[in-house]
């Protein structure tokens, strides 16, 4: 961790990080995937690898608030099918981080996100009917869950960018708004907590980064309340469009940075 960078940020840079933390809270309770903008802000203010470790506890705080808000709407059969594949992706992402530079990481994740968004848009335009969440019990559903799970675990480990990948999976599986938010809330709380030992081992989280997180976590709470207020005023179609748009923006940001 580059502690000199963490302790020599300007007031404006701290304000940018605070805005990113607020956006994390909003995305966790309203438009999942929007926190790819937060990822970009953290990476712009802090060194790329250090930003990954600094952002993770902020994401976990947002996950806790999302679980408290939408805990009754989680679809656990989907989660149990995803976790083994996600574990494979997290291990692969850890190995990838040991040798890949920032440029390779950004390009790879950006390309994956844009591909996922394109596939989801195509599937939703060509499908006669939306799939129900329990479609994950079919053979096709299991293959899809494993594929997205590995990609989600990989992207969340290397760049905290698993949100858009899993958003595309949950949309493609036909989840409605509250089921989408409840399932993703538990998914990311469990996955992000499991990433902590890996991040500590890679030197991405240390005492200095946690002190910065302590100063920023207070901004997650108002963002979460704002998201809870907004989600009740967003219809299903607009919700899906916003999720896909956030994914595309995040992918483009990663490719252009």
């Amino acid at each position: 961790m580059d502690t000199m960078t963490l302790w020599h940020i300007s007031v404006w840079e701290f304000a940018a990080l605070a805005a990113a933390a607020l956006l994390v809270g909003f995305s966790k309770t309203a438009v999942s995937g929007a926190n790819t903008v937060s990822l970009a802000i953290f990476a712009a203010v802090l060194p790329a690898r250090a930003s990954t470790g600094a952002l993770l506890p902020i994401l976990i705080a947002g996950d806790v608030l999302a679980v408290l808000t939408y805990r009754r709407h989680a679809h656990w059969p989907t989660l149990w099918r995803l976790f083994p594949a996600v574990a494979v992706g997290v291990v692969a992402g850890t190995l990838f981080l040991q040798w890949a530079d920032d440029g390779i990481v950004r390009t790879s994740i950006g390309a994956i996100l844009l591909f996922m968004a394109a596939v989801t848009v195509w599937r939703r335009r060509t499908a006669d009917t939306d799939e129900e969440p329990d479609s994950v019990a079919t053979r096709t559903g299991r293959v899809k869950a494993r594929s997205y799970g590995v990609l989600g675990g990989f992207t969340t480990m290397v760049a905290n960018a698993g949100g858009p990948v899993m958003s595309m999976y949950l949309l493609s599986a036909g989840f409605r708004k509250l089921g989408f938010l409840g399932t993703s809330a538990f998914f990311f709380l469990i996955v992000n907590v499991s990433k902590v030992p890996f991040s500590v081992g890679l030197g991405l989280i240390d005492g200095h980064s946690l002190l910065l997180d302590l100063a920023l976590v207070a901004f997650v709470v108002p963002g979460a309340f704002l998201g809870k207020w907004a989600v009740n005023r967003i219809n299903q179609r607009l919700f899906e469009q916003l999720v896909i748009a956030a994914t595309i923006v995040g992918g483009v940001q990663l490719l252009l940075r």
Side-chain angles (χ1 to χ4, degrees), residues 28-50:
K28 293 294 185 179
T29 56
V31 183
S32 180
N35 60 13
T36 53
V37 178
S38 301
L39 185 157
I41 293 173
F42 266 70
V45 174
L46 305 174
R49 287 174 63 85

Side-chain angles (χ1 to χ4, degrees), residues 2-257:
D2 187 349
T3 55
M4 292 297 291
T5 301
L6 291 177
W7 291 113
H8 289 79
I9 59 177
S10 68
V11 173
W12 291 110
E13 288 173 330
F14 181 82
L17 294 177
L22 187 144
L23 184 57
V24 166
F26 178 83
S27 70
K28 293 294 185 179
T29 56
V31 183
S32 180
N35 60 13
T36 53
V37 178
S38 301
L39 185 157
I41 293 173
F42 266 70
V45 174
L46 305 174
R49 287 174 63 85
S51 70
T52 302
L55 182 58
L56 182 56
I58 301 296
L59 294 174
I60 292 174
D63 293 328
V64 170
L65 293 172
V67 165
L68 292 175
T69 304
Y70 300 115
R71 60 188 178 278
R72 298 178 181 176
H73 303 284
H75 190 257
W76 283 98
T78 294
L79 292 170
W80 291 124
R81 287 182 174 86
L82 283 171
F83 285 140
V86 171
V88 173
V90 168
V91 172
T94 302
L95 297 174
F96 184 69
L97 280 173
Q98 291 182 334
W99 66 268
D101 60 28
D102 289 339
I104 294 175
V105 170
R106 287 195 300 269
T107 300
S108 300
I109 301 302
I112 289 171
L113 295 186
L114 292 178
F115 174 75
M116 292 295 179
V119 169
T120 299
V121 171
W122 177 77
R123 283 177 57 88
R124 296 188 73 79
R125 287 186 175 180
T126 57
D128 293 330
T129 59
D130 289 339
E131 298 175 61
E132 294 299 324
D134 62 2
S135 66
V136 295
T138 67
R139 181 177 180 180
T140 300
R142 288 193 297 269
V143 171
K144 185 167 66 174
R146 290 166 185 163
S147 301
Y148 276 87
V150 171
L151 284 174
F154 179 83
T155 54
T156 194
M157 187 64 225
V158 301
N160 288 318
V165 174
M166 297 317 301
S167 294
M168 295 300 95
Y169 170 70
L170 294 176
L171 286 184
S172 71
F175 277 84
R176 305 297 292 176
K177 187 168 53 177
L178 292 179
F180 177 108
L181 291 168
T183 304
S184 63
F186 274 100
F187 175 85
F188 281 108
L189 177 60
I190 295 170
V191 170
N192 282 333
V193 169
S194 72
K195 286 162 49 182
V196 171
F198 295 95
S199 297
V200 172
L202 290 168
L204 302 177
I205 294 178
D206 61 16
H208 297 288
S209 69
L210 290 175
L211 285 175
L212 178 64
D213 291 325
L214 187 62
L216 293 172
V217 72
F219 296 94
V220 179
V221 177
F225 280 108
L226 179 62
K228 174 60 176 175
W229 173 85
V231 78
N232 293 325
R233 292 160 175 79
I234 301 174
N235 63 38
Q236 180 68 24
R237 183 175 179 81
L238 177 59
F239 174 80
E240 295 176 1
Q241 292 172 341
L242 289 173
V243 170
I244 293 173
T247 301
I248 294 173
V249 169
V252 171
Q253 285 178 331
L254 289 167
L255 288 176
L256 295 181
R257 263 173 35 207

